[in-house]
Amino acid sequence: MGLHVMTHVHLLLLLCSSLSSAAPVSKSLVVLVRSPVSEQLGRETTLPCWLNPPQSAEALEVRWYRNDHFDTPIILYQNKKMAQESSYVGRASFGLKDAASGGLAAGDVSMKLLNVGIEDEGDYTCYVSSDQGYDRGSVTLKVTETGNTPLLSMVGAEENLVNLSCESEGWYPRPKLHWADHKHNLTPKSLEYGKVSSGLVSVHSWLLVPSSSEVSCSVGLSDMDTKEARVRLEIPPPAAKKVSGLVPGLVVFILILLAALALLGWLYIKKRVLRKKDKPESNQAEENMKLLQEVSVEKAALEEAKKHYVNIELEDKGNPYLTIKDGMLRDKKHPDLKAVTCLTAIRGTPGFTSGQHYWEVSLGHPGVEVKQSWWVGVTMATDFPLQADALSSTSNGFWFLSSSPDRADSFQLNTEPKVLLPVRSRPRTVGVYLNYDGGELSFYNVEDESVIGSFTAPFQGDVFPFFNPGIGDPGPMKILKRTEQGECNDTGNNERAQEPES
């Protein structure tokens, strides 16, 4: 009898030992997590969760859920079967917390999430249970997205100041924007944030800076992923010139207004005259003198540049995307061209290795609207990139002024990042002045004798004139040549110009 009881006890111990080795589970489950987890928008991420001490989770119940949605988990592992919430099908599954992980068999119950979106940001609960107990841990997922390089644009202001704005979009979460010059940090006049339907954030800021200064605008989520735009201003503030152009019109308007008021009675006019006599006229005289001096400086600079006029010939190599005739060029409206690239670009000759040089380009044609799509500048490149998305910036030997593809009210310098220049009046003729030894490239509106914008660059090797008539623009581009007596065959006054038909 005693032997029979001992045999049953022995068999029971063997059975318990067998079950324990098949799915060893501690009497007390302990769940460990690693939080927070940060991942970029659209990427794959893993939310780490595991059992401690390591033990198999293959026979356990595992739930991953958000907030208090215990009964509607993202994934539910039960009886060795996996179920997923409908919106996460194909996106959520078990993952590995690290490369050395043994997966479920080693107690790793981490969740892998594909194509992370902004809506995935938040807290997740990892819940593990057995018939002996349960435990849970919370993992916070932070979603990030790095936006575009800031875009700088400027508008003139008074008192030798320039209104410089900085904008960038495509960020998440809200980025920090920082202004600085070469000496210290700058405080903006305005800082605004916006959000598009996708949930991404845009930022816009502006401030007033001296018209001759070097300023940077940086935008980023942290010091590690900051994007910066920098501009060096060395041109007179455009707003002053704009004001000077309005002065005659304002004077005429005031005279007409006074004449109309005269109909209301002589006494009223007399009072206004007496009141005006009490006002000092010195301030207005000083302001007018400042404006006249500024205009005369730019006019003198243009006149000096014209002393170095050189006739440019187009380097026609049979570009299949261009029509070239008598110094005039336009694109052939090829259906494959969706944006302005070097495919429609052409060099001019001669090239320059020193000295000062000036040439003019006509953007107007009788009976046709002034060109809206164009590039004008210089290049050191001997061959142009043929890929539609190839970069044409100062970093690979291109310096040019162009119409802006995004803004009709701005011109654009091809720096990286781009710099926008306000359009006060669209030039019919652009003058290009290259001071090779001085490292200067300036662009002039020939009609109103004003500076549009300037580059500073250490030119090396041969530098060639560079032209691009753009795409889909009925207006042609023409390279103007100077005849004897220092005159141009087309001076930009296109109403008088006799241009050959294309």
Side-chain angles (χ1 to χ4, degrees):
M1 179 66 181
L3 179 61
H4 181 71
V5 173
M6 290 182 62
T7 301
H8 278 284
V9 171
H10 183 66
L11 291 174
L12 182 60
L13 290 174
L14 286 176
L15 178 60
C16 291
S17 176
S18 175
L19 290 174
S20 178
S21 62
V25 177
S26 300
K27 291 184 178 180
S28 177
L29 285 174
V30 177
V31 168
L32 298 181
V33 297
R34 186 164 57 244
S35 181
V37 174
S38 181
E39 190 55 74
Q40 193 170 356
L41 186 69
R43 299 285 185 86
E44 170 189 312
T45 192
T46 298
L47 307 183
C49 179
W50 65 97
L51 301 179
N52 186 49
Q55 54 191 294
S56 174
E58 292 177 326
L60 304 182
E61 176 185 315
V62 180
R63 291 174 184 255
W64 276 95
Y65 60 92
R66 299 190 65 175
N67 302 322
D68 296 325
H69 303 306
F70 180 88
D71 294 327
T72 55
I74 299 170
I75 60 175
L76 172 60
Y77 178 79
Q78 197 174 42
N79 300 322
K80 297 187 177 182
K81 294 182 179 180
M82 172 79 77
Q84 296 175 305
E85 199 272 328
S86 58
S87 62
Y88 287 89
V89 172
R91 291 184 59 219
S93 62
F94 282 132
L96 302 179
K97 64 183 179 67
D98 54 48
S101 172
L104 280 177
D108 186 351
V109 293
S110 302
M111 182 174 70
K112 181 169 67 174
L113 193 60
L114 304 180
N115 192 23
V116 171
I118 292 176
E119 67 279 2
D120 293 323
E121 185 172 68
D123 295 331
Y124 293 77
T125 299
C126 172
Y127 173 91
V128 183
S129 68
S130 70
D131 55 2
Q132 297 179 350
Y134 69 90
D135 194 17
R136 72 185 76 192
S138 180
V139 181
T140 299
L141 174 61
K142 296 183 177 181
V143 180
T144 66
E145 178 66 340
T146 301
N148 301 328
T149 299
L151 179 64
L152 295 176
S153 58
M154 42 192 157
V155 178
E158 297 179 356
E159 303 297 332
N160 294 324
L161 295 176
V162 171
N163 181 324
L164 188 61
S165 68
C166 175
E167 57 185 300
S168 181
E169 58 185 18
W171 296 88
Y172 192 85
R174 177 182 290 192
K176 294 181 180 180
L177 186 145
H178 177 73
W179 288 98
D181 61 17
H182 65 287
K183 293 182 178 179
H184 45 69
N185 298 331
L186 303 176
T187 302
K189 295 288 186 180
S190 172
L191 178 61
E192 298 179 350
Y193 291 91
K195 184 177 290 186
V196 297
S197 58
S198 64
L200 297 178
V201 179
S202 63
V203 59
H204 179 274
S205 178
W206 66 271
L207 78 175
L208 297 176
V209 296
S211 56
S212 294
S213 56
E214 184 171 347
V215 181
S216 68
C217 173
S218 58
V219 182
L221 302 174
S222 67
D223 295 336
M224 300 299 293
D225 59 354
T226 297
K227 291 193 174 183
E228 180 183 272
R230 183 178 297 271
V231 63
R232 182 177 181 182
L233 304 174
E234 291 186 344
I235 58 176
K241 296 188 284 296
K242 189 172 183 179
V243 172
S244 67
L246 291 175
V247 170
L250 290 174
V251 172
V252 172
F253 176 78
I254 292 172
L255 291 176
I256 294 174
L257 181 60
L258 289 176
L261 290 174
L263 298 176
L264 300 178
W266 179 81
L267 290 177
Y268 181 77
I269 297 296
K270 183 176 180 180
K271 290 180 181 179
R272 288 184 60 84
V273 170
L274 291 174
R275 195 182 303 123
K276 293 176 75 175
K277 285 183 178 179
D278 294 334
K279 294 182 179 180
E281 299 181 359
S282 58
N283 291 342
Q284 182 62 44
E286 291 176 1
E287 181 65 20
N288 289 341
M289 182 59 67
K290 285 168 60 180
L291 298 177
L292 289 174
Q293 288 175 348
E294 184 178 317
V295 172
S296 64
V297 167
E298 292 200 4
K299 182 177 181 180
L302 179 58
E303 292 301 321
E304 178 62 29
K306 286 184 176 181
K307 293 179 181 178
H308 306 282
Y309 207 111
V310 58
N311 288 336
I312 302 298
E313 299 288 344
L314 294 175
E315 191 177 65
D316 188 358
K317 294 184 177 181
N319 188 325
Y321 297 99
L322 291 177
T323 296
I324 303 172
K325 181 181 178 182
D326 299 328
M328 187 183 299
L329 66 155
R330 58 158 54 95
D331 74 296
K332 289 185 176 180
K333 299 179 175 60
H334 198 284
D336 292 339
L337 298 179
K338 305 301 182 183
V340 184
T341 68
C342 279
L343 290 175
T344 53
I346 187 172
R347 289 196 325 182
T349 59
F352 310 108
T353 57
S354 63
Q356 302 177 60
H357 313 278
Y358 175 85
W359 58 94
E360 292 180 351
V361 183
S362 171
L363 303 177
H365 191 74
V368 182
E369 184 182 1
V370 175
K371 280 189 69 61
Q372 304 296 309
S373 178
W374 49 271
W375 297 355
V376 173
V378 300
T379 182
M380 297 192 326
T382 54
D383 296 307
F384 297 160
L386 300 181
Q387 297 81 8
D389 58 350
L391 183 67
S392 302
S393 71
T394 55
S395 62
N396 60 343
F398 293 88
W399 296 266
F400 58 82
L401 175 74
S402 72
S403 56
S404 172
D406 303 317
R407 298 187 178 184
D409 62 347
S410 301
F411 292 148
Q412 185 170 288
L413 296 177
N414 73 311
T415 53
E416 190 61 38
K418 300 289 188 294
V419 173
L420 295 181
L421 305 173
V423 174
R424 301 182 295 283
S425 63
R426 285 197 170 271
R428 301 184 69 86
T429 307
V430 173
V432 184
Y433 170 64
L434 171 65
N435 183 344
Y436 188 105
D437 302 314
E440 175 191 350
L441 180 67
S442 296
F443 302 93
Y444 291 89
N445 183 330
V446 175
E447 281 73 36
D448 64 15
E449 299 178 313
S450 64
V451 177
I452 300 174
S454 299
F455 282 102
T456 56
F459 300 114
Q460 297 178 348
D462 290 320
V463 173
F464 295 86
F466 178 71
F467 311 96
N468 193 325
I471 60 172
D473 193 333
M477 172 184 285
K478 185 176 183 183
I479 316 307
L480 304 181
K481 296 182 180 180
R482 182 181 61 178
T483 58
E484 295 181 1
Q485 308 302 323
E487 295 296 330
C488 223
N489 67 341
D490 282 308
T491 62
N493 187 350
N494 290 281
E495 287 72 22
R496 296 179 303 177
Q498 300 297 318
E499 296 180 340
E501 296 183 1
S502 59

